[in-house]
Amino acid sequence: MKKTILTLSAMAVVLYSCEKEQSPESDVLAAQEVQVDMSDFFVYTDDVESETNSAGKGNAGKNCSTMKVLNQKLKSNPGLEQKMYNIEKHTRQYLAAKKGNGNGNGGGGNGGGGDTPVEDNLGTITIPVIVHVLYNNASQNISDAQIASQIAVLNDDFSATNNDINQVPSLFSPVVADSDIQFTLDQVIRKQTSQTSFGTSDAIKFDAQGGSNVVTPSTHLNIWVGNIGGGILGYAQFPGGSSSTDGVVVSPQYFGTTGTATAPFDGGRTTTHEVGHWLNLRHIWGDGRCNRDDFVSDTPSSDRPNYGCPSFPTTHCRTTDMTMNYMDYVDDECMYMFSNGQKERMRALFAAGGAREAMLP
């Protein structure tokens, strides 16, 4: 988002010697410290759910509770804000250093790019997935085919091979991104539970509370599929949170494209959206008014989520909304792209020093 101009300056390279041989690029990155502007960083956000309910939309639209859950976690964990600050700072420094121009954002919002794509040399990032199925009745015990359909959607969406990518308007087609991130199903854990709904307290992530304990979160994406209740489609944990709750939660009726998946959220895009949060993406409107940022320069400013299938163009904050971005709230059939800047933010997590670096072999 175009909120503030990032004021970055590269410090002098400190020369040093090392017995190990390093590539010229790694020498530069190891010796260079980039100063980045963090003045726009924020973690607490508006309660969008309350605002949309008061507007009469409520649960008729997509309802992601990620930011509401984050607000709760920030209140209960005083150290979380600093951890997220450090992760954001690493992302901005990494991207600025890789662009090599002292301006990591192409003159737009902090923390992400898109104008000059970053070559990170990380190759295809493959993330093994563990799916926990928590069911109180037979319909919630989703089939292997429904799980497989969701993994297929993730792979299509994160590689821009989804069959609706050609619907991206020409205004945004130059920044459509193949994130080069893939997902493989490693394990399915099924557990019958007495819980009829779990809410957003993370009870679903603990055996003792009727859920299922996280498995190797440093190297795997954990996805819990169980009834959240309250019309909530899903929520995710941003990088920096507790390892015991790291992952994504999705209600079974919004998971995958077959079986119990229910329109208009039967395209698997709820999970794509939540995995985007897990990979450090904010909502496309920055969870605030026009002066709030999603830290990505090639996503236009907006001040609210979009719902349903809005007509194009839809304009807020004097710019055209990227309503078809996976990080908005539109129906599944009307979201079908990530941007280059979002790709760079996600992949920065896997670079040296990044919050999800341990996932790479």
Side-chain angles (χ1 to χ4, degrees):
M1 284 187 182
K2 313 296 192 287
K3 190 184 89 166
T4 57
I5 294 180
L6 186 61
T7 54
L8 306 178
S9 59
M11 294 183 67
V13 175
V14 180
L15 299 177
Y16 68 102
S17 61
C18 180
E19 289 181 9
K20 269 189 180 178
E21 245 186 280
Q22 296 181 330
S23 70
E25 180 185 42
S26 63
D27 281 339
V28 171
L29 289 176
Q32 169 178 67
E33 187 173 342
V34 179
Q35 295 297 306
V36 293
D37 178 12
M38 295 291 293
S39 64
D40 70 331
F41 178 71
F42 66 94
V43 284
Y44 285 95
T45 57
D46 298 337
D47 186 351
V48 172
E49 292 171 37
S50 296
E51 293 178 5
T52 55
N53 285 337
S54 66
K57 293 176 181 175
N59 294 334
K62 186 160 286 187
N63 193 340
C64 159
S65 283
T66 293
M67 302 312 291
K68 186 174 182 178
V69 169
L70 175 59
N71 285 347
Q72 295 166 345
K73 289 182 179 294
L74 288 163
K75 292 174 183 176
S76 62
N77 181 358
L80 178 57
E81 183 171 1
Q82 184 62 50
K83 288 181 179 178
M84 293 183 70
Y85 178 95
N86 293 342
I87 291 168
E88 183 64 27
K89 185 175 182 180
H90 170 270
T91 295
R92 297 184 186 193
Q93 288 180 320
Y94 175 77
L95 294 177
K98 293 296 286 184
K99 287 177 185 292
N101 57 7
N103 183 339
N105 70 336
N110 289 342
D115 297 8
T116 307
V118 166
E119 177 51 60
D120 55 30
N121 298 316
L122 295 174
T124 300
I125 295 169
T126 301
I127 299 174
V129 179
I130 296 175
V131 176
H132 307 251
V133 179
L134 288 307
Y135 61 97
N136 179 261
N137 55 51
S139 67
Q140 294 173 357
N141 188 19
I142 61 173
S143 67
D144 288 345
Q146 189 167 344
I147 294 170
S149 74
Q150 181 61 73
I151 300 299
V153 169
L154 287 175
N155 283 324
D156 287 343
D157 289 351
F158 280 81
S159 62
T161 57
N162 46 301
N163 58 18
D164 47 4
I165 193 71
N166 60 354
Q167 296 184 46
V168 175
S170 58
L171 176 64
F172 298 127
S173 58
V175 299
V176 169
D178 168 5
S179 70
D180 207 9
I181 296 174
Q182 291 287 281
F183 303 84
T184 59
L185 181 62
D186 184 73
Q187 185 181 4
V188 176
I189 298 171
R190 298 179 182 274
K191 179 179 177 181
Q192 189 165 13
T193 179
S194 61
Q195 299 296 319
T196 56
S197 63
F198 285 97
T200 57
S201 67
D202 279 341
I204 197 171
K205 301 175 182 178
F206 294 96
D207 282 335
Q209 298 180 52
S212 177
N213 288 344
V214 69
V215 177
T216 54
S218 62
T219 57
H220 289 72
L221 163 60
N222 283 249
I223 302 177
W224 289 267
V225 182
N227 187 41
I228 302 172
I232 298 169
L233 278 65
Y235 67 95
Q237 179 169 296
F238 280 101
S242 170
S243 61
S244 66
T245 53
D246 190 39
V248 167
V249 181
V250 181
S251 280
Q253 62 269 42
Y254 312 120
F255 189 80
T257 63
T258 187
T260 62
T262 304
F265 308 117
D266 55 349
R269 265 60 192 270
T270 294
T271 305
T272 297
H273 177 103
E274 301 303 343
V275 172
H277 284 314
W278 182 78
L279 291 173
N280 208 28
L281 297 185
R282 303 292 182 100
H283 287 133
I284 201 77
W285 67 95
D287 293 279
R289 301 309 176 195
C290 295
N291 63 346
R292 279 298 180 104
D293 198 30
D294 70 346
F295 309 138
V296 179
S297 70
D298 60 8
T299 58
S301 296
S302 188
D303 63 350
R304 70 197 71 178
N306 292 283
Y307 295 93
C309 285
S311 59
F312 183 85
T314 295
T315 302
H316 296 109
C317 301
R318 300 182 180 181
T319 61
T320 299
D321 282 7
M322 192 182 281
T323 61
M324 67 293 307
N325 193 284
Y326 294 122
M327 303 313 295
D328 206 338
Y329 270 7
V330 299
D331 292 350
D332 281 17
E333 66 175 324
C334 296
M335 53 168 57
Y336 28 80
M337 69 168 287
F338 286 118
S339 75
N340 283 325
Q342 290 174 318
K343 167 186 176 178
E344 292 169 3
R345 280 185 65 80
M346 291 189 285
R347 292 179 64 86
L349 294 173
F350 300 91
R356 302 204 183 281
E357 177 190 5
M359 290 201 166
L360 292 189

